[in-house]
Amino acid sequence: QVRPVESGGGNVQAGGSLTISCKSVGLITSVFNPKTMGWYRQAPGKQQRELVASITGSKSTNYADSVKGRFTISRDNAKKTVYLRMSSLEPDDTGVYYCNDEGRELPWGQGTQVTVSA
């Protein structure tokens, strides 16, 4: 069964750093490698999941203005894994982080909770 498996979240103080990971379980490499993958954030009390960073198969990246210069997305195609390095974290970065492809076509995983305290 195809599903993203997110991990690495936790509690961190404002100004701190955290790296989260997402492994695409069940996807074969030839399907995963060309996919543009993204990290989505669901803030507390909101239903919408906001795309905060994306990376193409050729490793071009794009970021939401709110995280530009602070977050770095990367991928390891051999491991079918996408990473998000988050630095200079702010309380507004708090939320559940999910990964999915750019069309949100994969089943959603359980996400990983990131909580930033002031």
Side-chain angles (χ1 to χ4, degrees):
Q1 183 181 4
V2 175
R3 70 186 191 281
V5 179
E6 300 93 348
S7 63
N11 298 319
V12 63
Q13 288 195 325
S17 300
L18 201 62
T19 298
I20 56 178
S21 305
C22 171
K23 184 172 179 64
S24 295
V25 175
L27 273 181
I28 59 175
T29 301
S30 60
V31 173
F32 174 81
N33 286 0
K35 274 188 176 291
T36 295
M37 296 297 295
W39 280 100
Y40 299 81
R41 177 172 67 201
Q42 185 170 3
K46 294 191 176 180
Q47 283 195 321
Q48 187 176 4
R49 292 172 183 173
E50 171 198 14
L51 178 65
V52 296
S54 63
I55 184 166
T56 68
S58 58
K59 301 187 179 180
S60 295
T61 59
N62 199 24
Y63 299 93
D65 287 343
S66 60
V67 307
K68 202 171 291 184
R70 300 187 299 118
F71 289 12
T72 303
I73 189 171
S74 60
R75 66 191 292 163
D76 184 333
N77 286 341
K79 295 181 179 179
K80 294 177 288 184
T81 299
V82 182
Y83 304 94
L84 188 67
R85 173 68 175 173
M86 303 180 288
S87 302
S88 301
L89 281 161
E90 304 168 353
D92 283 348
D93 295 319
T94 294
V96 181
Y97 285 73
Y98 301 86
C99 73
N100 211 314
D101 62 15
E102 63 178 338
R104 307 187 186 208
E105 294 176 341
L106 299 175
W108 291 98
Q110 82 286 353
T112 188
Q113 174 72 47
V114 174
T115 303
V116 184
S117 56

